[in-house]
Amino acid sequence: MLKAKILFVGPCESGKTVLANFLTESSDITEYNPTQGVRILEFENPHVTSDDKGTACEFELWDCGGDPNPTGRNQKHLTSALNPVLPCRFESCWPALTKDSHGVVIVFNADTPSHLKEIDMWYSCFVQQQLLQDTRCLLIAHHKPGSGSDKGNLSLSPPLNKLKLVHSNLEDDPEEIRVEFIKYLKSIVNSVSESRDREEMSIIT
């Protein structure tokens, strides 16, 4: 069975946990509470298979905490190519989180202007520094209940403009993000399968 590890990262209070619960159908909890460290959700999706025979795929979704810690003792600042950012409380765990990951989903609150700057850091640390292909990264602009669903042009930095951007509104149109996430899972499975095939061919030859 093909297995894939996907990271859910982004600024604090972006709605990662609620969105992760919804997409993996693992919980009916819809309250917004900070994630302490990381939660690992194991799931399968009936619409995503690894071959023509319908072989199931197993996914691990790592829901990572993103609580800023500007007053902490660890004052090392991570910087992206464009923006200095605050250190993160769980920064020391990041190398372990990124190990053997196949994809990264960056979630941010589309109605919080500061998140547009913060997501540059998440992209730099979890995609660029890990030499992960941009095709394995999905950017989700999440709209919390009551915030509306304005999908106007977002002021993203040039590196982020290259990524696939989708909007999420679980109140007004929950199926839209579910469909987009299934498309993303299929792209990850195809990419992982191709990489595995190339490795097997290199061994044979």
Side-chain angles (χ1 to χ4, degrees):
M1 176 183 289
L2 186 146
K3 296 183 179 181
K5 172 183 174 181
I6 298 172
L7 305 181
F8 243 48
V9 302
C12 188
E13 298 185 3
S14 58
K16 296 185 296 296
T17 294
V18 170
L19 193 55
N21 287 343
F22 172 77
L23 293 174
T24 60
E25 299 182 353
S26 60
S27 172
D28 293 328
I29 297 175
T30 57
E31 297 178 357
Y32 287 84
N33 294 312
T35 298
Q36 301 300 314
V38 64
R39 297 185 315 142
I40 302 176
L41 305 175
E42 297 182 345
F43 69 101
E44 296 179 10
N45 189 294
H47 302 288
V48 183
T49 59
S50 61
D51 53 36
D52 295 335
K53 298 179 182 179
T55 305
C57 302
E58 185 177 287
F59 296 95
E60 284 187 355
L61 192 152
W62 290 46
D63 174 20
C64 308
D67 192 13
N69 186 25
T71 58
R73 288 177 294 177
N74 179 9
Q75 294 300 316
K76 182 179 70 172
H77 284 236
L78 298 177
T79 58
S80 69
L82 298 175
N83 298 300
V85 295
L86 296 174
C88 179
R89 211 175 266 170
F90 308 113
E91 174 190 326
S92 60
C93 301
W94 288 357
L97 298 182
T98 58
K99 180 176 174 57
D100 299 326
S101 60
H102 300 100
V104 173
V105 177
I106 301 175
V107 183
F108 65 99
N109 187 335
D111 307 298
T112 304
S114 63
H115 281 194
L116 293 176
K117 293 182 179 181
E118 291 182 46
I119 56 178
D120 277 292
M121 180 274 293
W122 295 97
Y123 172 72
S124 174
C125 293
F126 284 88
V127 180
Q128 289 182 319
Q129 292 183 23
Q130 306 307 318
L131 302 179
L132 199 68
Q133 296 175 333
D134 284 342
T135 54
R136 295 198 183 192
C137 182
L138 179 66
L139 195 60
I140 298 181
H142 185 58
H143 301 266
K144 292 185 177 182
S147 65
S149 56
D150 182 14
K151 298 183 180 180
N153 292 329
L154 297 173
S155 180
L156 300 176
S157 65
L160 296 180
N161 273 324
K162 299 182 298 181
L163 304 179
K164 168 79 173 183
L165 170 66
V166 298
H167 288 260
S168 167
N169 190 314
L170 301 184
E171 185 177 47
D172 294 344
D173 191 358
E175 289 308 307
E176 180 180 6
I177 187 59
R178 194 193 302 275
V179 170
E180 292 294 342
F181 189 61
I182 289 173
K183 291 179 183 178
Y184 173 69
L185 292 180
K186 289 180 177 179
S187 71
I188 291 296
V189 168
N190 290 336
S191 183
V192 172
S193 296
E194 291 173 0
S195 297
R196 186 176 60 183
D197 292 343
R198 285 194 297 268
E199 292 176 0
E200 291 177 352
M201 287 301 298
S202 65
I203 294 174
I204 294 174
T205 57

